Amino acid sequence: MTQPQIFSPSTPARPLATTAALASLRVCYASGSAANALDALLAQTDVLAVVGFGDSAPATHGDARYLHVALQPVGAAAFEVWRAQGTVTTARAGELRWASDGDYAFGVIELDEARHGDIDGAAATAYRSLVAWLAASPTPHVLRIWNYLDAINLGNGDAERYRRFCSGRAAGLTPGFVDAYPAATAIGVRDGRRVLQMYWLAARSAGTALENPRQVSAWRYPREYGPHAPNFARAMRAPTPMAQVYISGTAAIVGHRSHHREDVGAQIDETLTNIDSLLAAAHIEPGARFGANCLLKVYVRRDADIAAARAQLAARLPADTPLLLLRGDICRSELLIEIDGIQGV
């Protein structure tokens, strides 16, 4: 497998071949929770995907482009909407479903863990299915993956569910996966269903994996974090003429160690510093980082930290930065907050 190249702010930017360049995916948050609001979004022919969050969003829909995630939003219920350029078609095969305009594809697999030998078996099955789907797809390059699983921190040591998920992911990715690791997020939901949800963005052309000079690459973590290191890159630059960067789930980790236990404000500061470092590695100029064209999802572990998190984010980010705060658990129990997003929407 090709490992991600590690970039730093001094690395010269590499021009993209014009034959490989794709139009940027357009992503935004949309308010609303009722089924008719969702129907109105899905009636739009350029919509590639809609992700609805929390109890107020419809739990199901017959359209393959919709996914419901059981993370409760802070404030009004929200949809995340992906828009493509071409005509979007949909398809299903077994437990997989997807939508594509030929340049990009949104794919989903949801697996009952009990049917696959618990979380590690479900993760292995999900990733094997993804690898097979990519091999047969006209959009064979995965740019970004989101993983949501119940009770992510349950279990001690190597028996923790997140560590077992990482082992399953590693088993499912090898030996068939050929690209550099994609950007990714893994967050814990609290619905008790024990259903692994995985969705992804794939493209006709490969992106460029990015690493953070402030952090050890996740796929190089030492053994103390589990028998299999997490297989993801810190970010992925899409194959677009204008920079579009998919930011992995990012937390207050420097090197490979967590920082600022019990201090949510300091964790937010450290996390935003890490994201800023990533955007520098992607050659995004300082004045162009964050703001109106940077969409961020903020996962908050404790309800008691929500007010402080909002205040800290307001102090650190431009006022026009689109934010979606979600109640969720982070992969390390000492981490109180995680942020992912897209720069260049």
Side-chain angles (χ1 to χ4, degrees):
M1 182 185 301
T2 303
Q3 301 290 10
Q5 181 176 352
I6 297 177
F7 284 76
S8 71
S10 61
T11 305
R14 296 187 298 174
L16 292 170
T18 56
T19 54
L22 306 179
S24 296
L25 194 71
R26 294 166 293 151
V27 187
C28 68
Y29 296 136
S31 298
S33 58
N36 58 357
L38 176 58
D39 287 340
L41 287 170
L42 293 171
Q44 298 169 32
T45 58
D46 64 343
V47 169
L48 181 69
V50 179
V51 182
F53 294 95
D55 292 342
S56 297
T60 60
H61 195 285
D63 196 309
R65 295 173 294 166
Y66 180 66
L67 174 67
H68 177 262
V69 173
L71 289 171
Q72 301 301 326
V74 177
F79 297 116
E80 182 177 326
V81 185
W82 301 3
R83 299 181 189 275
Q85 298 291 327
T87 301
V88 176
T89 60
T90 64
R92 297 174 184 265
E95 293 169 303
L96 274 153
R97 66 182 189 272
W98 64 93
S100 179
D101 75 332
D103 283 344
Y104 293 102
F106 161 76
V108 177
I109 187 167
E110 299 178 274
L111 297 178
D112 183 336
E113 294 177 20
R115 296 180 55 194
H116 297 277
D118 218 330
I119 184 58
D120 38 7
T125 299
Y127 275 85
R128 278 195 297 268
S129 298
L130 170 61
V131 170
W133 181 87
L134 291 168
S137 173
T139 53
H141 304 287
V142 64
L143 304 179
R144 184 68 168 84
I145 301 175
W146 291 261
N147 307 274
Y148 295 117
L149 57 146
D150 187 52
I152 194 169
N153 302 127
L154 182 65
N156 297 318
D158 289 347
E160 184 190 45
R161 282 172 53 78
Y162 176 65
R163 294 190 182 197
R164 292 168 58 205
F165 163 79
C166 288
S167 293
R169 172 168 55 183
L173 279 176
T174 54
F177 191 66
V178 296
D179 279 348
Y181 294 134
T185 294
I187 288 290
V189 299
R190 304 164 183 172
D191 61 358
R193 294 175 59 228
R194 295 293 200 272
V195 172
L196 172 64
Q197 289 183 304
M198 185 175 83
Y199 67 100
W200 63 87
L201 173 68
R204 178 168 53 84
S205 302
T208 302
L210 302 172
E211 294 298 316
N212 186 348
R214 301 184 81 239
Q215 296 179 305
V216 173
S217 299
W219 40 271
R220 288 178 170 165
Y221 275 179
R223 176 62 179 83
E224 67 189 271
Y225 298 103
H228 295 90
N231 297 141
F232 67 91
R234 297 294 183 187
M236 179 70 77
R237 192 217 193 270
T240 52
M242 299 297 292
Q244 186 166 55
V245 179
Y246 292 89
I247 302 161
S248 293
T250 305
I253 296 171
V254 181
H256 57 76
R257 301 205 179 278
S258 303
H259 283 239
H260 315 298
R261 289 173 183 262
E262 297 300 315
D263 188 337
V264 69
Q267 287 196 19
I268 289 172
D269 278 341
E270 199 75 71
T271 300
L272 292 176
T273 298
N274 276 330
I275 293 175
D276 193 63
S277 177
L278 267 173
L279 296 178
H283 300 282
I284 308 295
E285 293 297 324
R289 298 172 199 165
F290 303 109
N293 70 336
C294 183
L295 201 74
L296 297 177
K297 284 201 287 291
V298 182
Y299 306 95
V300 184
R301 181 184 292 276
R302 305 186 304 202
D303 284 358
D305 291 330
I306 288 172
R310 277 181 150 165
Q312 189 77 2
L313 291 163
R316 280 291 308 266
L317 294 170
D320 57 352
T321 306
L323 294 175
L324 175 59
L325 271 69
L326 298 166
R327 296 172 172 90
D329 295 325
I330 320 304
C331 63
R332 296 186 188 180
S333 59
E334 69 273 13
L335 293 173
L336 306 176
I337 195 138
E338 181 167 315
I339 302 175
D340 68 24
I342 309 171
Q343 175 75 51
V345 295

